[in-house]
Amino acid sequence: MTTALSRSWEHAVVTGGAGFVGSHLCAALLDAGAAVTCVDDFCTGRPENISPLLERPGFTLVQANVAEGLRIKRRPDLVLHFASPASPADYLRLPLHTMETGSLGTRNALELAQSSRARFVLASTSEVYGDPQQNPQDERYWGNVNPVGPRSVYDEAKRFGEALTTAHADSHGTDTCIVRLFNTYGPRMRGHDGRAVPTFVRQALAGEPLTVTGDGRQTRSLCYVDDTVRGILAAAAHGMRGPVNIGNPTEITMLDLARLVVELAGSPSEIRFIERPVDDPAVRCPDITLARDKLGWEPQVRAEEGLRRTIAWFREDGTDD
């Protein structure tokens, strides 16, 4: 299934544009003919993610913390708010920054969109569902989140961002959309960011034991970054408010994922079980009925192919952060 965009953009602002997903979004928008302003403070984003874009016509880099304000010279018609530490290693290291980005940063991005009469897209997350008691998770599920647990700085920042985005649309008529991203993976992830795919790939390529938490039966749903970007841009072009799940509805256990990475990498690594983190979700699987019906979108890249591409990128570009 392919998704045809029903709307084109002249100038897009991407906060967090030097991050993993953000940099892929910047490239896709440039490819579609839009000018792009990338805003990033590089607390987790990497200059090398956007270095190939710096010489492309229409690309502008603004190094700034979105929580401190957004000063954009050219009026945008699309604002994509993707700034935020997103991996456990990062948001546990930067708890206050994470919450400020999700609150003050979201407000500043919304105000830019409102003043510019631009379309606004908030990058939310499957983490708003917490450790779900419903599987798969559809957009009507309110979630099961610990507001004071170690993951709360990220979970609640995103939940607040959703509430703020909704209130802004209701109060000011801002043209908003909320996308909830599920377990995106692919090239440009950082090997030490704490998420399962880059951790397993880094360990497998180094011949180290793959560290599976708990008994490995907890599940995730892996969506290759190209599919995620297509879904985000389809939601932006459609005009829907959302929230809408963007993810792959095929679950895989962490133990099976580790074994698959070892196989695809041709690695001699063994599996080692370690303690499971506090509040680690037992299941994670999106119901994408809304995205299929309204956007004509569903993932196209199977896990084996996506992991092969990711492993190849890590071999070529190294696994150091």
Side-chain angles (χ1 to χ4, degrees), residues 84-141:
S84 177
S87 71
D90 290 331
Y91 61 68
L92 293 175
R93 177 174 57 89
L94 300 166
L96 296 178
H97 183 79
T98 300
M99 300 200 78
E100 289 167 356
T101 303
S103 54
L104 298 174
T106 301
R107 185 191 66 182
N108 291 334
L110 280 163
E111 290 179 352
L112 172 64
Q114 181 198 7
S115 64
S116 303
R117 296 183 180 177
R119 176 77 163 149
F120 175 87
V121 179
L122 173 71
S124 190
T125 170
S126 60
E127 296 300 323
V128 300
Y129 299 120
D131 188 5
Q133 297 173 337
Q134 171 184 306
N135 197 46
Q137 298 87 57
D138 66 35
E139 293 86 353
R140 294 167 296 180
Y141 178 54

Side-chain angles (χ1 to χ4, degrees), residues 190-258:
R190 292 174 295 125
H192 290 85
D193 82 355
R195 287 179 277 196
V197 169
T199 298
F200 289 166
V201 171
R202 171 179 57 80
Q203 291 169 334
L205 293 179
E208 301 171 356
L210 272 66
T211 49
V212 174
T213 63
D215 59 11
R217 289 188 293 180
Q218 64 271 32
T219 69
R220 297 295 182 267
S221 300
L222 305 179
C223 193
Y224 189 66
V225 65
D226 290 358
D227 284 332
T228 295
V229 167
R230 282 194 307 106
I232 294 163
L233 295 179
H238 182 274
M240 70 188 311
R241 281 183 63 169
V244 58
N245 291 336
I246 301 296
N248 193 321
T250 302
E251 284 180 277
I252 185 171
T253 69
M254 290 298 91
L255 181 56
D256 286 343
L257 173 61

